[in-house]
Amino acid sequence: MKVLIATEKPFAKAAVDGIRTIVEGAGHKLALLEKYTSVDEFYAAVADADALIVRSDKVTKEVVAAAKNLKIVVRAGAGFDNLDLAACTERGIVAMNTPGQNSNAVAELALGLMVYMSRNNFTPGTGSELKGKTLGIQAYGNVGRLVAKVAKGFGMNIMAYDPFVPAEAIKKDGVAVAASLEDLYSKSNFVSLHIPATAETKKSIGYALLSKMPKGGCLVNTARKEVINEEELLKVLAEREDLKYVTDIAAENQAELNEKFGKRVFATPKKMGAETAEANINAGLAAANQICKFFATGDRTFQLNK
Ligand code: 3PG
């Protein structure tokens, strides 16, 4: 079988080497398409692939149509909003992700961004500490749980809101359970987003919630830009001169935000939550193992399009 890694944002070399060892060790071939600059390159590379490993690369219905032999696609990472699951299902292609594998890297970055914003974007001037501040975690999944664990080390007070996780499972970590999203936003000095981008969550974070944050509040987004209502974010930042926004996924209107609000906003130059060798190795090797197991035994653990 031919396994293609198609990554516009490449894996660390150690991850590619590890994937190659697993894939070739199982008797398959590995092909590599990195830093491609047009979808045509992707269409050409995927044409004879039996399996595909991607990161945030968009597996659209056009990619699926171009991939005549494709049997399985694995998103090496958590969020799978980049996969057209319906197109995969229609063609009988199994789609998977690798949940939890890059969570620690994202959690560490979330805390790093909080420190950065608390310390005047690392420019001279008196900053503040995370210790004693309240952190609201929106969605208590793999990343949310790790953010809580790391934030505890900083001495933060932590609360979380997740309607899909039983309150007891949150409380056992020493994390308070917010009664509602409004409750979370109104009590948190920092809110850290860990929701996926779905039809329900897109544009769900806007004026109503952000205007409830206490003085000096900071929204931390290592999730997806699509969950933010960007027009309303702009409005609330203009009205509330104390609020801050830090993101790992630049907003569509980021240039305007930067120009209007200066150091109160910051976006990383490219999404780098999962940009660590460890995260690449964890997620990349998990993807390779899942593919080999699927070909060897038909194993469909982590299948998304059931
Ligand atoms: C994920 O959903 O796993 C993260 O957003 C990481 O995405 P990346 O692999 O494109 O860095």
Tab-separated table of all heavy atoms in Angstrom, residues 9 11 54-57 75-81 102 106 222-224 271-275 280, ligand 1:
chain	number	residue	atom	x	y	z
A	9	LYS	N	2.292	22.316	6.406
A	9	LYS	CA	3.161	22.661	7.539
A	9	LYS	C	3.811	21.345	7.973
A	9	LYS	O	3.170	20.518	8.623
A	9	LYS	CB	2.282	23.253	8.658
A	9	LYS	CG	3.020	23.825	9.825
A	9	LYS	CD	2.071	24.551	10.777
A	9	LYS	CE	1.083	23.617	11.447
A	9	LYS	NZ	0.192	24.293	12.408
A	11	PHE	N	5.843	18.017	9.421
A	11	PHE	CA	6.198	17.431	10.715
A	11	PHE	C	7.690	17.647	10.959
A	11	PHE	O	8.475	17.795	10.005
A	11	PHE	CB	6.008	15.909	10.685
A	11	PHE	CG	4.592	15.419	10.700
A	11	PHE	CD1	4.110	14.628	9.663
A	11	PHE	CD2	3.747	15.691	11.763
A	11	PHE	CE1	2.816	14.131	9.687
A	11	PHE	CE2	2.454	15.193	11.795
A	11	PHE	CZ	1.985	14.418	10.751
A	54	VAL	N	-2.524	13.688	7.202
A	54	VAL	CA	-2.486	15.152	7.070
A	54	VAL	C	-2.450	15.793	8.458
A	54	VAL	O	-2.683	15.127	9.466
A	54	VAL	CB	-3.727	15.698	6.314
A	54	VAL	CG1	-3.713	15.279	4.850
A	54	VAL	CG2	-5.034	15.267	7.005
A	55	ARG	N	-2.175	17.101	8.455
A	55	ARG	CA	-2.316	17.885	9.689
A	55	ARG	C	-3.577	18.745	9.498
A	55	ARG	O	-4.659	18.187	9.428
A	55	ARG	CB	-1.055	18.713	9.943
A	55	ARG	CG	0.141	17.814	10.260
A	55	ARG	CD	1.375	18.601	10.591
A	55	ARG	NE	1.205	19.389	11.809
A	55	ARG	CZ	2.143	20.156	12.348
A	55	ARG	NH1	3.342	20.229	11.767
A	55	ARG	NH2	1.934	20.832	13.456
A	56	SER	N	-3.416	20.075	9.375
A	56	SER	CA	-4.612	20.902	9.139
A	56	SER	C	-4.932	21.014	7.647
A	56	SER	O	-5.791	21.802	7.252
A	56	SER	CB	-4.409	22.305	9.710
A	56	SER	OG	-4.449	22.255	11.116
A	57	ASP	N	-4.244	20.227	6.847
A	57	ASP	CA	-4.453	20.253	5.397
A	57	ASP	C	-5.909	19.916	5.079
A	57	ASP	O	-6.458	18.973	5.644
A	57	ASP	CB	-3.516	19.227	4.754
A	57	ASP	CG	-2.087	19.446	5.211
A	57	ASP	OD1	-1.743	18.970	6.339
A	57	ASP	OD2	-1.357	20.133	4.506
A	75	ARG	N	-6.104	12.299	10.233
A	75	ARG	CA	-5.706	13.648	10.612
A	75	ARG	C	-4.797	13.480	11.834
A	75	ARG	O	-5.285	13.058	12.912
A	75	ARG	CB	-6.975	14.449	10.959
A	75	ARG	CG	-6.772	15.947	11.087
A	75	ARG	CD	-6.126	16.332	12.393
A	75	ARG	NE	-6.215	17.767	12.550
A	75	ARG	CZ	-5.170	18.560	12.691
A	75	ARG	NH1	-3.941	18.069	12.708
A	75	ARG	NH2	-5.333	19.844	12.853
A	76	ALA	N	-3.507	13.729	11.679
A	76	ALA	CA	-2.578	13.610	12.800
A	76	ALA	C	-2.784	14.817	13.708
A	76	ALA	O	-2.130	15.843	13.565
A	76	ALA	CB	-1.147	13.538	12.294
A	77	GLY	N	-3.722	14.688	14.611
A	77	GLY	CA	-4.095	15.791	15.481
A	77	GLY	C	-5.505	15.575	15.980
A	77	GLY	O	-6.081	14.496	15.788
A	78	ALA	N	-6.049	16.607	16.603
A	78	ALA	CA	-7.357	16.450	17.244
A	78	ALA	C	-8.509	16.944	16.386
A	78	ALA	O	-9.448	16.207	16.070
A	78	ALA	CB	-7.341	17.184	18.583
A	79	GLY	N	-8.446	18.242	16.004
A	79	GLY	CA	-9.566	18.860	15.288
A	79	GLY	C	-9.659	18.317	13.878
A	79	GLY	O	-8.660	18.244	13.166
A	80	PHE	N	-10.881	17.933	13.472
A	80	PHE	CA	-11.022	17.334	12.132
A	80	PHE	C	-11.970	18.145	11.259
A	80	PHE	O	-12.575	17.611	10.324
A	80	PHE	CB	-11.449	15.863	12.248
A	80	PHE	CG	-12.632	15.623	13.141
A	80	PHE	CD1	-13.922	15.688	12.646
A	80	PHE	CD2	-12.454	15.337	14.481
A	80	PHE	CE1	-15.013	15.464	13.464
A	80	PHE	CE2	-13.533	15.117	15.323
A	80	PHE	CZ	-14.824	15.186	14.814
A	81	ASP	N	-12.070	19.445	11.568
A	81	ASP	CA	-12.899	20.334	10.755
A	81	ASP	C	-12.311	20.525	9.354
A	81	ASP	O	-12.957	21.103	8.486
A	81	ASP	CB	-13.095	21.682	11.465
A	81	ASP	CG	-11.805	22.227	12.062
A	81	ASP	OD1	-11.080	21.477	12.731
A	81	ASP	OD2	-11.516	23.418	11.833
A	102	ASN	N	-1.420	15.487	20.633
A	102	ASN	CA	-0.662	16.752	20.645
A	102	ASN	C	-1.174	17.721	21.719
A	102	ASN	O	-0.824	18.898	21.729
A	102	ASN	CB	-0.676	17.414	19.257
A	102	ASN	CG	-2.078	17.684	18.740
A	102	ASN	OD1	-3.016	17.710	19.514
A	102	ASN	ND2	-2.214	17.906	17.439
A	106	VAL	N	-0.303	21.997	23.031
A	106	VAL	CA	-1.296	23.077	22.944
A	106	VAL	C	-1.531	23.678	24.336
A	106	VAL	O	-1.590	24.906	24.488
A	106	VAL	CB	-2.622	22.560	22.335
A	106	VAL	CG1	-3.645	23.690	22.239
A	106	VAL	CG2	-2.391	21.950	20.951
A	222	THR	N	-6.587	28.979	21.565
A	222	THR	CA	-5.711	28.014	20.891
A	222	THR	C	-6.585	26.960	20.205
A	222	THR	O	-6.107	25.863	19.898
A	222	THR	CB	-4.732	27.329	21.880
A	222	THR	OG1	-5.504	26.728	22.928
A	222	THR	CG2	-3.729	28.296	22.453
A	223	ALA	N	-7.851	27.327	19.986
A	223	ALA	CA	-8.790	26.367	19.385
A	223	ALA	C	-8.892	26.610	17.872
A	223	ALA	O	-8.067	26.093	17.107
A	223	ALA	CB	-10.135	26.469	20.075
A	224	ARG	N	-9.865	27.398	17.459
A	224	ARG	CA	-10.058	27.696	16.042
A	224	ARG	C	-10.553	29.127	15.911
A	224	ARG	O	-11.356	29.585	16.725
A	224	ARG	CB	-11.112	26.763	15.425
A	224	ARG	CG	-10.693	25.306	15.270
A	224	ARG	CD	-9.628	25.116	14.213
A	224	ARG	NE	-9.263	23.722	14.015
A	224	ARG	CZ	-8.285	23.085	14.667
A	224	ARG	NH1	-7.581	23.720	15.593
A	224	ARG	NH2	-8.008	21.826	14.401
A	271	LYS	N	-0.158	29.055	13.132
A	271	LYS	CA	-0.645	28.213	14.241
A	271	LYS	C	0.472	27.308	14.732
A	271	LYS	O	1.024	26.513	13.980
A	271	LYS	CB	-1.834	27.385	13.779
A	271	LYS	CG	-2.521	26.641	14.916
A	271	LYS	CD	-3.874	26.113	14.514
A	271	LYS	CE	-3.769	24.992	13.532
A	271	LYS	NZ	-4.717	23.890	13.708
A	272	MET	N	0.836	27.462	16.021
A	272	MET	CA	1.980	26.700	16.513
A	272	MET	C	1.694	25.913	17.791
A	272	MET	O	2.618	25.427	18.434
A	272	MET	CB	3.193	27.615	16.687
A	272	MET	CG	2.971	28.845	17.508
A	272	MET	SD	4.484	29.841	17.583
A	272	MET	CE	4.787	30.210	15.862
A	273	GLY	N	0.416	25.755	18.113
A	273	GLY	CA	0.060	24.976	19.308
A	273	GLY	C	0.685	23.594	19.279
A	273	GLY	O	1.225	23.117	20.278
A	274	ALA	N	0.613	22.944	18.127
A	274	ALA	CA	1.123	21.567	18.029
A	274	ALA	C	2.500	21.523	17.378
A	274	ALA	O	2.963	20.460	16.961
A	274	ALA	CB	0.147	20.708	17.235
A	275	GLU	N	3.157	22.679	17.299
A	275	GLU	CA	4.465	22.735	16.647
A	275	GLU	C	5.601	22.407	17.606
A	275	GLU	O	6.482	23.231	17.872
A	275	GLU	CB	4.681	24.127	16.044
A	275	GLU	CG	3.962	24.333	14.728
A	275	GLU	CD	4.518	23.466	13.608
A	275	GLU	OE1	4.081	22.313	13.508
A	275	GLU	OE2	5.380	23.943	12.868
A	280	ASN	N	4.508	16.338	17.238
A	280	ASN	CA	4.595	15.774	15.881
A	280	ASN	C	4.864	14.265	15.937
A	280	ASN	O	4.277	13.492	15.190
A	280	ASN	CB	5.730	16.423	15.089
A	280	ASN	CG	5.432	17.832	14.624
A	280	ASN	OD1	6.253	18.448	13.972
A	280	ASN	ND2	4.264	18.368	14.942
B	1	3PG	C1	-5.194	20.005	16.183
B	1	3PG	O1	-6.399	20.127	15.928
B	1	3PG	O2	-4.684	18.895	16.426
B	1	3PG	C2	-4.338	21.232	16.295
B	1	3PG	O3	-5.027	22.357	15.908
B	1	3PG	C3	-2.995	21.116	15.572
B	1	3PG	O4	-3.060	21.418	14.217
B	1	3PG	P1	-1.753	21.337	13.287
B	1	3PG	O5	-1.376	19.901	13.150
B	1	3PG	O6	-2.168	21.935	11.985
B	1	3PG	O7	-0.662	22.134	13.929
